[in-house]
Amino acid sequence: MNKEQKFETQAVRTQIEPTHAKEHSTPMYLTSSFIYDDAEEMRASFAGENDRHIYSRFSNPNYQELIDKVCLMEGAEAGYVFATGMSAVFSSFAALSNSGDHIISCRSIFGSTHTVFTKILPKWNIQTTYVEVDDPASWEKAVQPNSKLFYLETPTNPGVDLVDLEAASTFCRKHDLLMIVDNCFATPYLQQPIKFGADLVIHSATKFIDGQGRVMGGITVGKKELIEEIYTFSRSTGPALSPFNAWVLSKSLETLAVRMDRHCDNALKLAEFLSNHPEVSWVKYPGLKSHPQYGIAQKQMNAGGAVVAFGVQGGLEKGRSFLNNLKMCSLTANLGDSRTIATHPSSTTHAKLSEEERQKVGITPELIRISVGLEHIDDIISDIQQALEQD
């Protein structure tokens, strides 16, 4: 690994050492376990006295290559990979929290993370208090003597609101809280939360890291001592990524920068188009000057990302009509694909929230989330325009 190289070069050139075959591209290590030359080597491996791989439930060369790449990109000391983004989220919480601990979280989070906070962690007497993304005063009011960590997404899903990472870091240092950031929307190419003070960064690699809607995966990177705790928890509980998916995700990272450049360029043009359309009541995109936290975006992001949120005139029924009228864009709950995706969060990704909870985080019935793909921007706009303008 070369920490002095540029992002794009790190993504392409970071890989494990070739085998005796001297392969140019890392092979897939589709094996459940690894063999040893003798009993002493096996003993030392299980004792952690060497760096040998043992069992693909927790260790595999393909995992390590993916970890090495993301750690370089995020400026992290260590990392661990998981089967999905949500297994990364849950395992990180479970490894670092104890019964009686208290979590502070920004209110605007992914629906499944909300379920973890409200339905699963309370079983182990771990409680969560929600705060507003743009109101540090509410963060202060939420602090309790047993508060352990501050969790946030920025940009948020699906409303693309932003959290000031510098302010969050100052808050966490003041109250001795772990700062954990879901960086899925921004990717390491557009934002590196560790530079602003985050202790851990989480990605659903299923999204932009894969970038083509093929495989699932998750990763947590950050401080070595915290990753060691996550490793210990996950080694025994088994939220393992498959070697094949790790290989795909590592290869996908080679094109992350060029893909995100195109995503961001398309998303900005779409957001500008929607801002001037009479059938659209509002648009929110970090790259627009009209975004309420545009200044924060300029400070901590290299570009606005690939996700645009907007509201259609006519509310829920018009929103449904819009989705039904789309001809090219995909209707699916995923995002971060090469193909443009339209989603209605109220009825899909955030359906498990109550209406009151959705209103509190700005997930209104007319909200449409567009994950802008890599198609030609004229074709993206044409499809969305015709869907908006049909009766």
Side-chain angles (χ1 to χ4, degrees):
M1 295 189 297
N2 187 337
K3 295 182 180 180
E4 303 303 318
Q5 291 175 334
K6 301 297 183 181
F7 184 100
E8 294 85 346
T9 307
Q10 292 174 345
V12 172
R13 289 292 177 178
T14 301
Q15 60 187 75
I16 58 175
E17 289 296 320
T19 68
H20 65 279
K22 304 297 183 183
E23 66 277 352
H24 191 216
S25 180
T26 302
M28 286 182 278
Y29 288 82
L30 301 181
T31 180
S32 58
S33 61
F34 301 83
I35 58 174
Y36 309 94
D37 292 334
D38 52 47
E40 172 56 24
E41 184 184 30
M42 189 173 186
R43 181 208 65 78
S45 299
F46 276 80
E49 296 173 5
N50 61 35
D51 293 329
R52 283 293 312 275
H53 296 288
I54 298 174
Y55 196 55
S56 287
R57 172 158 44 83
F58 51 86
S59 176
N60 182 286
N62 293 128
Y63 303 168
Q64 195 58 52
E65 182 175 286
L66 177 59
I67 290 168
D68 288 346
K69 284 187 178 183
V70 178
C71 283
L72 268 180
M73 294 172 174
E74 290 282 7
E77 296 173 352
Y80 194 84
V81 289
F82 302 87
T84 67
M86 280 312 304
S87 61
V89 169
F90 173 73
S91 298
S92 299
F93 293 154
L96 299 173
S97 302
N98 297 308
S99 179
D101 282 346
H102 173 248
I103 294 172
I104 301 171
S105 171
C106 286
R107 192 180 303 279
S108 298
I109 54 172
F110 179 50
S112 294
T113 308
H114 170 78
T115 300
V116 170
F117 282 148
T118 58
K119 305 294 184 184
I120 299 175
L121 293 183
K123 294 180 180 180
W124 295 287
N125 192 29
I126 300 170
Q127 305 298 325
T128 300
T129 298
Y130 286 129
V131 297
E132 307 305 326
V133 297
D134 58 350
D135 182 14
S138 73
W139 308 352
E140 293 288 343
K141 292 178 182 178
V143 176
Q144 300 178 13
N146 58 337
S147 295
K148 181 69 174 290
L149 63 88
F150 184 38
Y151 176 80
L152 58 98
E153 297 176 7
T154 184
T156 62
N157 183 9
V160 290
D161 293 305
L162 304 181
V163 181
D164 188 325
L165 291 172
E166 283 187 338
S169 177
T170 298
F171 168 72
C172 289
R173 301 292 85 79
K174 176 181 177 181
H175 297 287
D176 194 26
L177 303 173
L178 296 177
M179 179 177 166
I180 304 180
V181 180
D182 183 327
N183 198 31
C184 176
F185 270 29
T187 79
Y189 182 58
L190 302 182
Q191 178 175 268
Q192 298 86 39
I194 289 172
K195 291 182 179 178
F196 295 89
D199 297 296
L200 292 174
V201 174
I202 297 176
H203 289 277
S204 172
T206 311
K207 310 303 191 296
F208 295 102
I209 287 179
D210 173 37
Q212 296 178 63
R214 300 168 297 186
V215 301
M216 306 189 83
I219 185 165
T220 300
V221 300
K223 291 184 176 178
K224 184 177 180 180
E225 64 268 24
L226 300 177
I227 295 297
E228 287 175 350
E229 293 187 53
I230 294 169
Y231 167 83
T232 299
F233 173 86
S234 302
R235 173 171 173 154
S236 296
T237 56
L241 182 65
S242 76
F244 173 78
N245 286 10
W247 180 86
V248 171
L249 293 168
S250 184
K251 296 300 289 182
S252 299
L253 281 172
E254 295 182 10
T255 61
L256 178 64
V258 292
R259 287 187 285 109
M260 290 310 299
D261 283 342
R262 178 63 171 265
H263 279 302
C264 294
D265 184 59
N266 279 354
L268 179 58
K269 290 174 180 175
L270 176 63
E272 290 170 342
F273 164 78
L274 291 170
S275 297
N276 295 303
H277 198 284
E279 295 295 329
V280 174
S281 55
W282 56 266
V283 180
K284 191 178 286 184
Y285 177 68
L288 287 179
K289 292 182 179 180
S290 59
H291 192 289
Q293 295 139 329
Y294 177 76
I296 295 174
Q298 294 296 296
K299 179 175 66 172
Q300 64 192 36
M301 298 179 69
N302 297 327
V307 180
V308 178
F310 69 96
V312 290
Q313 298 280 8
L316 178 61
E317 291 306 314
K318 180 63 176 180
R320 287 175 175 167
S321 174
F322 165 77
L323 292 176
N324 289 334
N325 291 334
L326 289 169
K327 296 178 180 179
M328 182 188 76
C329 299
S330 304
L331 301 185
T332 176
N334 194 29
L335 61 92
D337 201 305
S338 57
R339 293 155 289 192
T340 297
I341 293 169
T343 306
H344 182 240
S346 289
S347 62
T348 57
T349 57
H350 292 72
K352 294 187 183 300
L353 278 66
S354 68
E355 180 61 31
E356 180 182 2
E357 289 168 336
R358 287 195 292 269
Q359 289 291 335
K360 285 182 178 179
V361 295
I363 303 175
T364 51
E366 80 278 7
L367 187 154
I368 302 294
R369 185 189 73 191
I370 303 289
S371 174
V372 184
L374 304 179
E375 306 96 339
H376 195 284
I377 186 58
D378 290 351
D379 295 320
I380 297 172
I381 289 176
S382 177
D383 190 35
I384 290 175
Q385 181 176 14
Q386 65 83 25
L388 285 170
E389 294 175 359
Q390 286 192 47
D391 293 332

